[in-house]
Amino acid sequence: MNVQVRPQRDQWTGLLQRPELDNTKLEASVKKILQDVKEKGDEAIFHYTQQFDGIAINRLQASQQEINEAISTLPDDLKNAIQLAANNITAFHKKQLSVPEVIETMPGVLCWRKSIGIEKVGLYIPGGSAPLFSTILMLAIPAKLAGCKEIILCSPPGKDGKLHPAILYAAQLTGITKVFKTGGVQAIAAMAFGTASIPKTYKIFGPGNQYVTCAKQLVQQYGVAIDMPAGPSEVCVIADDSCVPAFVAADLLSQAEHGPDSQVLLVSPSEEVVKNVQQELKKQLAVLPRKELAEKALQNSKAIIAKDMQEAVELVNTYAAEHLILSCENDEAIAELIMNAGSIFLGNYSPESVGDYASGTNHTLPTNGYARMYSGVSVDSFVKKVTYQKLTKEGLHQIGKAVELMAEAEGLEAHKNAVTIRMK
Amino acid sequence: MNVQVRPQRDQWTGLLQRPELDNTKLEASVKKILQDVKEKGDEAIFHYTQQFDGIAINRLQASQQEINEAISTLPDDLKNAIQLAANNITAFHKKQLSVPEVIETMPGVLCWRKSIGIEKVGLYIPGGSAPLFSTILMLAIPAKLAGCKEIILCSPPGKDGKLHPAILYAAQLTGITKVFKTGGVQAIAAMAFGTASIPKTYKIFGPGNQYVTCAKQLVQQYGVAIDMPAGPSEVCVIADDSCVPAFVAADLLSQAEHGPDSQVLLVSPSEEVVKNVQQELKKQLAVLPRKELAEKALQNSKAIIAKDMQEAVELVNTYAAEHLILSCENDEAIAELIMNAGSIFLGNYSPESVGDYASGTNHTLPTNGYARMYSGVSVDSFVKKVTYQKLTKEGLHQIGKAVELMAEAEGLEAHKNAVTIRMK
C-alpha cells in the first residue's frame, strides 16, 4: 500500500481519484453486437455464444429437467447456507415495501402514492471462474417482493453448455421466471430488444465486465432502464486503536482479491495501526489462493494517515466508498457523520463479506463515487411509485382559484380553463 | 384528432408509438458548449449568454437586493396562490420521508437503512414565454425536505438581464441556496463541472428544450446524475358515458397548448363520447390564446374507440402515459387496474392542471413510455438510501458458517477468511 501521512486538503481530490473508466474504445464492437441481436435475434445469440463462450447451443432457455438435475448435485450444506442468506435478505427487504396512505392536502383534495412492480425485469449474472449466485439473491428477492411479474435471468454457459448448479438453485429458490444460457453483450441486447426466445424487459440489473457495462450504458438510448452505472468494487476502512489489525487486513484483502482494479483504502488517525495492518497484510497475503490478483490491487491502493478522526470522516465523505467499514471505538457516532457511502459496516464483527452474502442488506451498491447520489439496489429499484389524486367538486373549489392564477401567470390559458369550466 | 375505431391488437404498438427523439444531430454543438464551460468556466457562460440570450451580463448570481425588489412587484394574490400550492406540495411530500428502522435479521445481526439528502443538487428552469415557477416548487420542496444542503437554481435571464419575479419568489419561498441567471447547455455544464461562480452539483433536475435534454444526457458521462430521461409532455384520458365532454376537451387542450409535439390521447369505449368531445374541442379551441400550438398538437393526436373498458385499460397500460385522467364511472376500480402511468387523476373534478400546480403531487413525471419503469420526482429523488449493519460476536457466529460456505463456493477465499479470522 502507498502510505500518505497527513496529506494537505488540496491533495485529497488527486489522492482519492479513481482510475478513469473509458469505454469509448469498446463502443464500436459493443454497438455491432447490439445491432446484430436487434436484427437477427436468437440467431445472433447462437453465433456470439459460439464465438465468445466457445460453445454451440441451439436452445437458450434452461429446461426444468436441467435445473432439477443440476440442483440435485448441489451439497446440502451449501443449499442451507443459501437458504439462510435468502431468509435474511427477505427479512430486510420486506420492510422496504410501502403501503399507500391517502393524504388530504386540503378538504376534498385527496392524494396518494402507490408502488407498482416493474412488469418485466432482466437480471444478468456474469460467468467466469466465480459463479456469483449470491447476486441472484440480491436482485431476485427484491424483484419478487416488488411484485415484478416477469423476472428473467441471463448468464453465460460454461464450456459444457451448462450453468453452475448454485446459480440454478438460487434462481429456482427466488422464483425467477425463466433462465437463459447466454452472456456478455448479446445477453444485454436480448433483454433490451427481445428475441424469439428471450422476452424484452424494461429494466436490466446486474454486474459484468467492461463490455457488459458498456452495453448496459448504450441500451438506455433505446428506452431501457438500468440499475446504476458500474465501476470496480471498493472498500474503505476507518480504523483506530480499538481495531484488530488482523481483521482489518482480512477485510482489505477480501476486496483486493476481486482483481487488480479493485479499490482498497485504509484511513486511520494512527501510524501504529497502519503499520500493524500492513504487517498483517503481508502475512495473510502469503497464503491466499488469489494472491496475485490481490497483490496487484494492493499495489494500487492507499493508506492515509489522517490528522484526527474528524479529518478521517471528511476524507471518507469525499471518497464516497461503496463499502465502508468502521473499525473504531465510536462506530455508531461516526456512522452518523457519514454522508456518502453505499453500505456501512460497524464495529469489529461486521466484515464486508457478511453484507456480501448474508446479513440481509443488498450487495449491489454504487461504486466510483456514485454513493454521493445513488442508492444501492432495494425494493425501490424494482417499482415505480405512481401518484394519484381525486378531488371532490368542493375540493376543486378549494384550490381552483390558486390553479387559475398560477396557470395564467405561466401563460397557460388552457390549463386555467380546465379548472374554470369545472367551477362554473 | 385522428379517430381509430376498435383497432386490432397487432396495430397497437404502431398506433401508440411516440415520435422518435433523435438528439444525435445536436450532440456536436452541445458537446462544444460543455467542453468550453468545462475549460473556461464563467467566461464561457458570459459568452454563450450573450450569444443565445442576447444579453451581456458580468455577474451570474442574483443578488438578495435584486430578489427583494422583484418580489415586491409580484401581486399578492399570485403570492398567496404560490403559497397555497407550496403548502399542499409540502404536505404530500413530507409523508415520503422515512424513519430508519433497525431489523434484526438473526439474533445479533442488526441491519437498517437511512435516507441521506444528496449534498448538492442543481435545478434548471427554462426561460421563454412562460416562467415555470411551479416547477421550482416541485423540485425545491422535496429537495429541502430531503435535507439537501446546497440547492442551486439556474434559469436564463430575459432581455433585460432579469429573472421573472415569480421565479425569484418561488426560489426564496422554497429555500433555494443560490439563484444563477444562466440557461441552456451552459447552465447544465456549469452545474455539472462547476465554475468560479456556480458550484458543481451531484444531480441535476428540471425540464428544458432539446439542447438542455441532450446536455443532461451527456453530462452523465462525467459522473453527474439526472432526474430522468425527458420527452414531450403527454396526457391520456379514458372517458366513458359518465364523463362531461366539455371537461375532457378542456383537459386535452391543456396538454395540447404546450406545443406541437405534445402527446394527447383519448381512449373511450363509446363512439358517442368521442364525437361529443371533438365538438367541444372545436368550440373551446376557437377562443384559446395558444390556439395555433394546440391545433398542431391535436392534428398529431389520436382518439381510440376501444371494444370495452377492459380493452381501454390494456391500451392505456401499453401506452404508459405521463398523465392519465380517468373520467369514468368506476374510476377507483379502474385505477387499480393501471400498471403503467406517471400520475393518475380520478373522476370528473380532477383535471391535470390541479396536479400541475397545487393538489400536492409532483408534476415532474416520466414521459415517452418511461412510466413503465421510472417514478416521478419525489423526496426519493433527492436522497440516497444508505444501508448499515452491525453484528455482535454472537451475531457473526449465527451467520458465519453460511458466509464461509457461500464465499468458498464462489471461489472467494479472502471473503471467507474475513469471517474465519473473526470466529477463531
Side-chain angles (χ1 to χ4, degrees):
Chain A
M1 295 184 99
N2 168 351
V3 180
Q4 298 282 333
V5 185
R6 290 176 284 276
Q8 293 300 306
R9 199 167 283 257
D10 58 7
Q11 294 179 282
W12 287 12
T13 311
L15 273 179
L16 299 174
Q17 193 138 39
R18 276 94 168 168
E20 290 248 345
L21 303 169
D22 184 7
N23 282 336
T24 49
K25 280 181 207 148
L26 316 175
E27 248 187 59
S29 54
V30 171
K31 275 185 179 162
K32 181 174 181 334
I33 303 173
L34 293 177
Q35 197 55 38
D36 269 8
V37 174
K38 192 165 186 246
E39 284 167 14
K40 299 179 200 150
D42 285 347
E43 195 197 315
I45 307 263
F46 296 141
H47 168 77
Y48 286 113
T49 304
Q50 171 85 67
Q51 182 176 335
F52 296 125
D53 302 307
I55 165 93
I57 49 171
N58 52 22
R59 186 189 145 92
L60 293 170
Q61 191 176 346
S63 69
Q64 192 54 49
Q65 193 193 339
E66 195 175 345
I67 295 172
N68 293 345
E69 278 174 17
I71 290 175
S72 71
T73 68
L74 203 67
D76 275 344
D77 59 352
L78 183 55
K79 279 188 196 167
N80 293 339
I82 295 174
Q83 181 69 65
L84 177 146
N87 291 348
N88 287 354
I89 296 164
T90 302
F92 183 68
H93 286 75
K94 209 166 55 184
K95 295 280 185 174
Q96 294 165 1
L97 293 166
S98 57
V99 182
E101 179 189 357
V102 177
I103 298 153
E104 194 163 10
T105 54
M106 292 192 90
V109 181
L110 304 178
C111 301
W112 65 100
R113 187 165 81 137
K114 191 171 83 172
S115 292
I116 301 179
I118 298 171
E119 218 178 321
K120 300 170 186 193
V121 296
L123 315 184
Y124 182 75
I125 302 292
S129 52
L132 299 181
F133 55 84
S134 61
T135 303
I136 300 179
L137 306 181
M138 296 295 175
L139 299 176
I141 290 173
K144 199 77 188 173
L145 286 171
C148 300
K149 286 188 180 153
E150 183 141 52
I151 307 167
I152 69 167
L153 173 71
C154 286
S155 192
K159 295 266 181 253
D160 57 356
K162 291 181 177 173
L163 293 176
H164 191 280
I167 295 229
L168 294 171
Y169 177 68
Q172 169 121 327
L173 182 70
T174 53
I176 281 179
T177 330
K178 287 171 183 160
V179 178
F180 297 97
K181 294 180 284 184
T182 179
V185 176
Q186 58 274 22
I188 303 301
M191 295 193 281
F193 305 126
T195 71
S197 303
I198 303 177
K200 173 183 164 48
T201 62
Y202 299 149
K203 191 169 181 179
I204 299 174
F205 295 77
N209 62 18
Q210 278 183 290
Y211 290 89
V212 167
T213 300
C214 179
K216 280 172 68 188
Q217 276 169 4
L218 290 174
V219 294
Q220 291 185 85
Q221 292 165 11
Y222 299 93
V224 180
I226 64 168
D227 46 2
M228 67 185 88
S233 192
E234 310 161 344
V235 75
C236 172
V237 181
I238 304 186
D240 68 9
D241 294 327
S242 75
C243 82
V244 181
F247 297 180
V248 175
D251 291 337
L252 298 177
L253 285 173
S254 77
Q255 189 56 249
E257 77 171 340
H258 276 304
D261 59 354
S262 264
Q263 299 289 303
V264 176
L265 179 66
L266 171 63
V267 180
S268 175
S270 155
E271 296 190 38
E272 190 67 21
V273 164
V274 171
K275 211 179 72 191
N276 293 340
V277 169
Q278 287 196 296
Q279 278 171 1
E280 275 294 332
L281 277 173
K282 233 180 246 169
K283 217 192 290 177
Q284 294 181 27
L285 191 60
V287 295
L288 209 62
R290 292 166 75 107
K291 185 183 162 180
E292 277 173 42
L293 289 176
E295 211 159 19
K296 273 191 196 148
L298 283 182
Q299 276 162 13
N300 301 327
S301 71
K302 294 190 182 73
I304 300 181
I305 294 157
K307 216 168 55 188
D308 50 25
M309 201 41 112
Q310 192 192 324
E311 194 182 84
V313 166
E314 284 172 42
L315 263 159
V316 159
N317 275 330
T318 307
Y319 182 65
E322 181 191 13
H323 305 96
L324 174 63
I325 301 177
L326 305 178
S327 297
C328 21
E329 210 176 342
N330 301 314
D331 53 356
E332 295 187 20
I334 286 165
E336 287 295 313
L337 304 175
I338 302 299
M339 296 283 300
N340 301 319
S343 193
I344 301 180
F345 300 77
L346 290 85
N348 284 331
Y349 291 94
S350 311
E352 186 203 308
S353 48
V354 301
D356 288 341
Y357 290 108
S359 64
T361 61
N362 209 289
H363 80 196
T364 306
L365 295 165
T367 53
N368 204 29
Y370 283 114
R372 291 185 199 101
M373 63 298 214
Y374 282 89
S375 311
V377 161
S378 71
V379 169
D380 297 342
S381 315
F382 293 93
V383 300
K384 49 276 162 68
K385 297 184 179 176
V386 180
T387 54
Y388 302 76
Q389 49 254 287
K390 183 168 187 172
L391 281 72
T392 60
K393 203 170 172 178
E394 294 66 40
L396 186 66
H397 278 271
Q398 290 276 343
I399 65 171
K401 191 73 204 159
V403 174
E404 287 178 328
L405 279 164
M406 290 172 77
E408 198 173 6
E410 287 193 353
L412 296 171
E413 203 64 31
H415 281 64
K416 178 186 174 185
N417 191 50
V419 170
T420 311
I421 204 167
R422 285 169 163 97
M423 301 240 285
K424 268 179 195 157
Chain B
M1 295 184 99
N2 167 351
V3 181
Q4 298 281 332
V5 185
R6 288 175 285 278
Q8 293 299 308
R9 199 166 282 258
D10 57 11
Q11 295 179 281
W12 286 12
T13 311
L15 273 178
L16 299 175
Q17 192 137 40
R18 275 94 169 170
E20 290 249 344
L21 302 171
D22 184 6
N23 283 337
T24 49
K25 280 181 206 147
L26 316 176
E27 249 187 58
S29 53
V30 171
K31 275 185 180 163
K32 181 174 181 332
I33 303 173
L34 293 178
Q35 197 56 37
D36 270 7
V37 174
K38 192 164 185 247
E39 284 166 14
K40 297 180 201 151
D42 285 347
E43 194 197 316
I45 307 262
F46 295 141
H47 168 78
Y48 287 113
T49 304
Q50 171 85 67
Q51 183 176 335
F52 296 125
D53 302 307
I55 165 91
I57 48 171
N58 52 22
R59 186 188 145 91
L60 292 170
Q61 191 177 348
S63 69
Q64 192 55 49
Q65 192 193 342
E66 195 175 344
I67 295 172
N68 293 345
E69 278 173 17
I71 290 175
S72 71
T73 67
L74 203 67
D76 276 344
D77 59 352
L78 183 55
K79 279 187 195 167
N80 293 338
I82 294 174
Q83 181 69 66
L84 179 146
N87 291 348
N88 287 352
I89 296 164
T90 302
F92 184 67
H93 286 77
K94 210 166 53 185
K95 294 280 185 173
Q96 294 165 2
L97 293 166
S98 57
V99 181
E101 180 190 355
V102 178
I103 298 154
E104 193 164 10
T105 55
M106 292 192 90
V109 181
L110 304 178
C111 300
W112 64 100
R113 187 165 79 139
K114 191 171 84 170
S115 292
I116 301 179
I118 298 170
E119 217 177 323
K120 300 170 185 194
V121 297
L123 315 183
Y124 182 76
I125 302 293
S129 52
L132 299 182
F133 55 85
S134 60
T135 303
I136 300 179
L137 305 181
M138 296 295 176
L139 299 176
I141 290 173
K144 199 78 189 171
L145 287 170
C148 300
K149 286 190 182 154
E150 183 141 52
I151 307 167
I152 68 167
L153 172 71
C154 287
S155 191
K159 295 267 180 250
D160 57 357
K162 292 182 178 173
L163 293 176
H164 192 281
I167 296 234
L168 293 172
Y169 177 69
Q172 168 121 327
L173 183 69
T174 54
I176 281 180
T177 330
K178 287 171 183 160
V179 177
F180 297 99
K181 293 180 286 184
T182 179
V185 175
Q186 58 274 23
I188 303 301
M191 295 193 282
F193 305 124
T195 72
S197 304
I198 303 177
K200 173 182 164 50
T201 63
Y202 300 149
K203 190 168 181 180
I204 299 174
F205 295 79
N209 62 18
Q210 278 182 290
Y211 290 88
V212 167
T213 300
C214 179
K216 281 172 66 187
Q217 276 168 4
L218 290 175
V219 294
Q220 290 184 88
Q221 293 164 10
Y222 298 92
V224 180
I226 64 167
D227 45 0
M228 67 184 88
S233 191
E234 312 162 343
V235 74
C236 172
V237 181
I238 305 187
D240 68 9
D241 294 327
S242 75
C243 82
V244 182
F247 296 179
V248 175
D251 291 338
L252 298 176
L253 285 173
S254 76
Q255 189 56 249
E257 77 171 340
H258 276 304
D261 59 354
S262 265
Q263 299 289 303
V264 176
L265 179 66
L266 171 62
V267 180
S268 176
S270 155
E271 296 190 39
E272 190 68 19
V273 164
V274 171
K275 212 179 73 192
N276 293 340
V277 169
Q278 287 197 294
Q279 278 172 0
E280 275 293 333
L281 277 173
K282 232 180 246 170
K283 218 194 290 179
Q284 294 180 27
L285 191 59
V287 295
L288 210 62
R290 291 165 76 107
K291 184 182 164 182
E292 277 173 40
L293 290 175
E295 210 158 21
K296 272 190 197 150
L298 284 181
Q299 276 162 12
N300 301 326
S301 71
K302 293 190 183 72
I304 301 180
I305 294 157
K307 218 169 53 188
D308 50 26
M309 200 44 109
Q310 192 193 323
E311 195 183 83
V313 167
E314 284 172 42
L315 263 158
V316 160
N317 275 329
T318 307
Y319 182 65
E322 181 190 13
H323 305 96
L324 174 62
I325 302 177
L326 305 177
S327 298
C328 22
E329 212 177 339
N330 301 314
D331 52 358
E332 295 187 20
I334 287 165
E336 287 295 314
L337 303 174
I338 302 299
M339 296 284 298
N340 301 319
S343 192
I344 302 179
F345 300 78
L346 290 85
N348 284 330
Y349 291 94
S350 311
E352 187 203 308
S353 48
V354 301
D356 288 340
Y357 291 107
S359 65
T361 61
N362 208 289
H363 80 195
T364 305
L365 295 165
T367 54
N368 205 28
Y370 283 113
R372 292 185 197 100
M373 64 295 216
Y374 281 89
S375 311
V377 161
S378 71
V379 170
D380 296 343
S381 315
F382 293 93
V383 301
K384 49 278 162 67
K385 297 184 180 176
V386 179
T387 55
Y388 302 76
Q389 48 254 287
K390 182 167 187 171
L391 281 72
T392 61
K393 204 170 174 179
E394 294 65 40
L396 186 66
H397 277 272
Q398 289 277 341
I399 65 170
K401 191 74 206 156
V403 173
E404 287 179 328
L405 278 164
M406 290 173 77
E408 197 173 8
E410 287 193 353
L412 296 172
E413 203 64 30
H415 280 63
K416 178 185 173 186
N417 191 50
V419 170
T420 311
I421 203 167
R422 285 168 164 96
M423 300 238 287
K424 267 180 197 156

